[in-house]
């Protein structure tokens, strides 16, 4: 029995469920947009890297899913823990992380923090002799890029 002005419990449950589901999809929309933006930024960075490599007389590096995964984990780790180092929070060096992807004799890593776009990161890296050397190193054949939007952490892992 319902009192005047009250709703049956089943109506309240349905309304509450709709609110929760609607809220979940509303929350998922910004997350999906952030993921799409990150993927676009990563693709842009790889394209810029290959354009510079072409100018330097090198073959393009191929995007590698295993390297991307290693780079992404490092970017997220740095973002969550607030540091910028080639050694991760577990004490592994970039070379150790990259070599877990298998069969690479040569490794390199570029890191950046605080730059919201691929264009800005590339400008900074190309103005740094060590970062430029990695980008223009013709021995590298594969690349994986990680990007953590919280703080704009970038990791570019090379292997060859």
């Amino acid at each position: 029995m319902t009192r005047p002005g009250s709703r049956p419990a089943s109506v309240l449950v349905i309304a509450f469920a709709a609110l929760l589901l609607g809220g979940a999809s509303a929350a998922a929309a910004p997350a999906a947009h952030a993921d799409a933006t990150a993927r676009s930024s990563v693709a842009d960075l790889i394209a810029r890297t290959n354009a510079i490599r072409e100018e330097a007389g090198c073959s393009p590096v191929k995007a590698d899913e295993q390297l991307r995964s290693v780079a992404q984990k490092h970017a997220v780790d740095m973002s969550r823990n607030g540091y910028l180092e080639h050694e991760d929070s577990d004490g592994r060096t970039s070379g150790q992380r990259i070599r877990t992807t298998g069969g690479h004799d040569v490794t390199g890593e570029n890191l950046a923090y605080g730059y919201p776009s691929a264009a800005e990161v590339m400008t900074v890296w190309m103005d740094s002799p060590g970062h430029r050397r990695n980008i223009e190193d013709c021995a590298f054949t594969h690349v994986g890029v990680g990007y953590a939007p919280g703080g704009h952490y970038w990791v570019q892992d090379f292997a060859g």
Side-chain angles (χ1 to χ4, degrees):
M1 175 174 178
T2 59
R3 286 178 258 142
S6 68
R7 304 254 188 251
S10 60
V11 171
L12 291 175
V13 169
I14 292 169
F16 185 66
L19 178 63
L20 283 177
L21 293 175
S25 65
H33 176 72
D35 287 345
T37 300
R39 282 191 303 275
S40 175
S41 295
V42 165
D44 186 20
L45 187 70
I46 293 171
R48 290 172 184 275
T49 297
N50 281 329
I52 290 166
R53 288 175 62 81
E54 183 179 357
E55 290 174 12
C58 297
S59 297
V61 285
K62 296 175 188 159
D64 182 281
E65 179 56 29
Q66 289 181 313
L67 284 173
R68 186 211 59 80
S69 179
V70 166
Q72 185 62 33
K73 286 176 186 172
H74 190 47
V76 168
D77 181 45
M78 290 189 298
S79 177
R80 283 187 181 149
N81 294 299
Y83 72 98
L84 185 70
E85 297 290 334
H86 293 286
E87 187 174 294
D88 67 19
S89 60
D90 292 328
R92 293 175 300 167
T93 66
S94 60
Q96 290 170 324
R97 286 191 314 276
I98 294 167
R99 283 190 182 92
T100 65
T101 65
H104 302 296
D105 297 325
V106 195
T107 66
E109 181 174 71
N110 288 341
L111 303 176
Y113 160 76
Y115 301 97
S117 74
E120 291 172 283
V121 171
M122 287 304 292
T123 297
V124 170
W125 283 344
M126 293 308 291
D127 287 341
S128 162
H131 294 101
R132 176 186 283 269
R133 190 171 26 257
N134 281 341
I135 292 166
E136 295 178 339
D137 188 335
C138 296
F140 293 134
T141 56
H142 293 82
V143 69
V145 175
Y147 174 67
H152 303 291
Y153 283 84
W154 296 85
V155 177
Q156 185 181 45
D157 284 341
F158 293 99

